[in-house]
Amino acid sequence: MAVCTGCSLLCEDIELTLKTGAISQVKNLCRKGHGHFQALFTERIVPKIDGQEVSVDQAITKAVDILRNAKHPLLYGWSNSALEAQRVGIDLGKKLGATIDDTSSFCQGILMELVLTGKLPTCTLDDVRNFADTSVFWGADPSNSHPRLLSRFAYYPRGSKRQKSYEEERNCLVVDVRKSATAKLCSNYFRVPPGGDADFIASVIDVLDGKIPKYGDKKRMIDLGTILRKTEYGVIFPGVGLVYALQDKIELLKTLVAKLNEITTFKVVPMVEHYNMRGFNQLLLDDSGSINRVSFHSGQVTHGPENSIMAAAKICDAALVIGSDPLSSLPFGTAKSLAGVSLIAIDPRRSLTTDAAQVVIPSAMYGLEAGGSAIRMDGVRIEFEPIVKSDLLSDEQILARIKEEI
Amino acid sequence: MVGAMEIYKLLPTDACKECGYSSCMALAVALLNREKKLEDCPALLNPKYADKFKKLKELLAPLEKASETGLIIHPEKCFGCGNCVVACPVNVAAEPTRCGIGLGPQGDRVILAVEDGVVKCMNVKECRRFGPNKVMCNACTVTCPSKAIEFV
Ligand code: SF4
Ligand code: SF4
Ligand code: SF4
């Protein structure tokens, strides 16, 4: 059995049949995961310095050189890498006095912080399958982002307390700006106008308080209130859509969840996209007291927006990017700043970032070529073994060598 | 999908009964259920209906791809999400500790499984829509997010 690192569901029931140089058959892997694994055989990269092919040792030595001489090194990415590599990465950050940040900084960070610090109640996906009778996907479309979430946990499977499952015992609600693929399947879809999530929350709180809601279709809001009140075990899955819409009003979500918990049980499981973003956030929190945006400059641990990728990209003089492709995912200004510094990219495959990097170090793909562990979107630790033989070093091994040589 | 009315409109509609049915509408339904072929309507073979015959051929072509239960799969639309795999009552009965709790099947007694990223259909004879005691099960189609599974 293999573990898929295609999204943060880390599906463990993948059966692979291999023949030389290709996967000949694979069972239970969704289309997204299939694409992720197939990329193993395409888009691979070789070690490079300034566009010239070199040996891995040379590339690592060059990376060490760059980092050692940098005044403000930045270590960024992390969400597509194993816990073991992230651990070494944080230690490397301390040794270098670097700024360290991950992809949560511009996506689910503010929500993840509330969950990891216990300010929002959460549960595991196994609890969702066994107990949940209402799942709310809010600003999220799992059919595309986490294709097996509905079938494995949130809607269709039978759980210990939910034997009649979606036919009789489960509701699936979608709150979104558009009628997504998931919205077409769900039992109730609520459309919110872009940016209208805060008003929608206010209306839900109103109906739960027995008041007439100010926003939205009154009758439908009252119906929603009834579903929520009747729920025995509810789970809200907030996606980036909701986090982006709320931003500094994220407290509203806390208020809503607290209100719901006065009536019944409601949990929150963030729709983490990359397979081990949550793992990095947890490690850094345990280590430094913050889930992201940390600086170890001059031996001091500081936390704040000045250490976010957006800010740090502008002042750093060298950056090591691992487990992410910031040049294609970050806003243009930030990407441009990053592309302008001495950039080291560690990645199993080609990306815009590896194309632009001064030093490229290819790594083994976790889940297939390298073993390790990661934290699923619900906080459960999943271990994986390598299933394909590979001569490539893992992220962990590369980082350990860089750290040692520095 | 094609409807019986659409088929009927392209038939000769002179109720000659040579196909063995009492009306052209009955033949249309039989064509839809793939119990009869276009060639079973002798009138339609008359050159004056050549146009209609051609149109009917095109109309009925997708049905030929369907399995015996009328199941049509469009792999290019499938997300491989496994919703159908977990929702199919035959799958759940065959593997209650796998499909029943949301995992992919291990054995070969199931009807639906995801392979190479897309849905695959086997053992169609086990499908509840099959045979004389068929029931109108649609668990696999209503749980599909992309209309990758359809029934004729
Ligand atoms: S749902 Fe995610 S983890 Fe599971 S097979 Fe698909 S991509 Fe991989
Ligand atoms: S119709 Fe019912 S029994 Fe047949 S494949 Fe679909 S879900 Fe399974
Ligand atoms: S056919 Fe539909 S429900 Fe089944 S795996 Fe494909 S997309 Fe999912």
Side-chain angles (χ1 to χ4, degrees):
Chain A
M1 290 287 175
V3 172
C4 175
T5 49
C7 79
S8 63
L9 281 188
L10 292 164
C11 293
E12 299 161 275
D13 59 346
I14 313 300
E15 286 178 54
L16 278 170
T17 319
L18 295 154
K19 64 169 194 265
T20 19
I23 294 170
S24 67
Q25 191 201 38
V26 51
K27 289 188 181 163
N28 307 332
L29 193 62
C30 77
R31 172 166 274 190
K32 180 174 179 173
H34 192 250
H36 173 72
F37 274 9
Q38 281 301 340
L40 180 65
F41 305 103
T42 55
E43 308 282 314
R44 294 314 292 256
I45 43 173
V46 291
K48 276 186 186 168
I49 300 174
D50 296 322
Q52 298 297 315
E53 199 174 326
V54 295
S55 70
V56 180
D57 293 344
Q58 286 169 312
I60 290 179
T61 308
K62 180 73 184 169
V64 169
D65 229 36
I66 292 174
L67 291 171
R68 194 191 279 138
N69 292 317
K71 282 201 185 65
H72 294 285
L74 164 69
L75 311 180
Y76 176 76
W78 306 109
S79 37
N80 284 308
S81 193
L83 283 170
E84 293 73 13
Q86 295 170 343
R87 178 69 264 158
V88 182
I90 295 171
D91 294 339
L92 174 67
K94 288 183 188 162
K95 201 164 175 184
L96 287 167
T99 300
I100 191 163
D101 196 17
D102 81 312
T103 56
S104 71
S105 193
F106 69 96
C107 98
Q108 294 261 22
I110 40 176
L111 176 68
M112 188 49 91
E113 186 166 353
L114 293 176
V115 170
L116 292 184
T117 54
K119 296 192 180 92
L120 277 173
T122 190
C123 66
T124 68
L125 290 173
D126 302 281
D127 293 337
V128 175
R129 185 187 62 237
N130 286 328
F131 311 121
D133 52 350
T134 298
S135 294
V136 185
F137 294 99
W138 200 325
D141 179 18
S143 295
N144 277 292
S145 61
H146 301 66
R148 295 182 65 195
L149 179 55
L150 266 60
S151 68
R152 287 193 59 203
F153 302 106
Y155 198 22
Y156 300 116
R158 275 137 237 283
S160 58
K161 280 245 162 65
R162 299 290 166 219
Q163 281 300 312
K164 292 187 191 128
S165 192
Y166 75 102
E167 295 107 320
E168 291 178 36
E169 288 179 320
R170 289 195 213 267
N171 290 307
C172 171
L173 316 184
V174 171
V175 184
D176 210 341
V177 291
R178 65 188 178 93
K179 194 154 189 187
S180 62
T182 310
K184 286 179 195 145
L185 292 177
C186 69
S187 47
N188 303 75
Y189 165 59
F190 298 87
R191 186 190 293 277
V192 282
D197 299 80
D199 291 345
F200 191 86
I201 291 181
S203 281
V204 180
I205 294 177
D206 278 347
V207 292
L208 291 174
D209 280 338
K211 294 186 204 146
I212 303 289
K214 275 199 228 35
Y215 307 97
D217 177 330
K218 293 191 177 48
K219 187 177 171 299
R220 293 211 67 212
M221 292 309 289
I222 290 167
D223 289 347
L224 172 61
T226 311
I227 298 173
L228 296 175
R229 281 184 171 281
K230 281 192 184 155
T231 294
E232 284 172 18
Y233 193 111
V235 186
I236 300 177
F237 292 90
V240 273
L242 178 62
V243 179
Y244 281 162
L246 290 180
Q247 287 298 340
D248 44 357
K249 292 191 207 133
I250 195 84
E251 292 290 314
L252 279 174
L253 181 66
K254 243 175 82 182
T255 313
L256 172 64
V257 173
K259 170 112 298 184
L260 285 165
N261 276 289
E262 284 169 18
I263 303 165
T264 176
T265 303
F266 254 88
K267 309 284 186 185
V268 177
V269 179
M271 293 285 289
V272 176
E273 298 213 356
H274 300 311
Y275 77 87
N276 199 20
M277 185 191 95
R278 184 164 176 159
F280 179 80
N281 294 146
Q282 185 72 61
L283 278 182
L284 196 62
L285 177 71
D286 295 345
D287 199 281
S288 72
S290 305
I291 65 153
N292 56 20
R293 304 178 174 184
V294 166
S295 164
F296 297 112
H297 197 64
S298 321
Q300 303 278 319
V301 182
T302 55
H303 165 251
E306 69 282 6
N307 301 322
S308 74
I309 173 69
M310 312 289 199
K314 294 204 174 72
I315 57 150
C316 69
D317 49 357
L320 179 143
V321 171
I322 182 166
S324 176
D325 180 13
L327 260 47
S328 69
S329 57
L330 289 180
F332 180 70
T334 312
K336 203 173 151 213
S337 307
L338 264 189
V341 303
S342 300
L343 189 61
I344 303 156
I346 303 175
D347 209 302
R349 51 187 182 230
R350 195 180 152 201
S351 69
L352 272 184
T353 307
T354 62
D355 278 356
Q358 191 186 349
V359 181
V360 177
I361 310 173
S363 62
M365 187 191 277
Y366 277 113
L368 262 191
E369 298 168 315
S373 50
I375 304 288
R376 201 166 68 179
M377 62 187 260
D378 59 341
V380 171
R381 187 187 172 113
I382 308 281
E383 314 257 338
F384 35 87
E385 299 285 328
I387 37 171
V388 181
K389 261 215 170 73
S390 164
D391 298 331
L392 290 165
L393 298 174
S394 67
D395 289 355
E396 179 192 3
Q397 289 167 321
I398 295 168
L399 290 167
R401 278 194 47 191
I402 294 178
K403 187 175 145 237
E404 208 168 285
E405 287 183 34
I406 283 173
Chain B
M1 277 290 32
V2 197
M5 200 59 203
E6 255 176 288
I7 300 174
Y8 171 76
K9 283 183 185 156
L10 288 168
L11 289 173
T13 61
D14 49 9
C16 65
K17 299 185 185 143
E18 287 197 37
C19 59
Y21 290 99
S22 58
S23 70
C24 294
M25 191 61 192
L27 176 66
V29 172
L31 286 168
L32 189 63
N33 289 336
R34 288 158 304 138
E35 290 157 9
K36 284 275 176 191
K37 290 202 174 64
L38 280 180
E39 289 75 8
D40 292 329
C41 171
L44 201 57
L45 300 176
N46 186 321
K48 71 173 176 177
Y49 291 124
D51 239 24
K52 290 188 162 181
F53 184 84
K54 204 172 137 236
K55 279 196 188 127
L56 277 166
K57 262 277 186 239
E58 282 164 18
L59 197 63
L60 297 176
L63 303 191
E64 279 162 24
K65 282 195 300 183
S67 69
E68 291 130 288
T69 56
L71 188 76
I72 301 181
I73 290 182
H74 307 283
E76 73 288 354
K77 287 190 194 167
C78 175
F79 295 0
C81 66
N83 292 357
C84 58
V85 176
V86 169
C88 170
V90 176
N91 274 25
V92 172
E95 299 207 19
T97 58
R98 303 273 315 174
C99 301
I101 61 159
L103 295 171
Q106 268 176 329
D108 50 15
R109 285 170 45 234
V110 293
I111 301 179
L112 298 161
V114 172
E115 250 182 63
D116 299 331
V118 292
V119 71
K120 196 183 141 191
C121 172
M122 52 221 139
N123 305 320
V124 276
K125 290 211 161 61
E126 302 299 320
C127 172
R128 294 193 170 183
R129 297 176 75 100
F130 189 78
N133 300 325
K134 61 184 176 186
V135 294
M136 280 301 124
C137 179
N138 62 357
C140 51
T141 52
V142 296
T143 57
C144 179
S146 61
K147 295 209 167 25
I149 300 190
E150 281 186 297
F151 288 112
V152 171

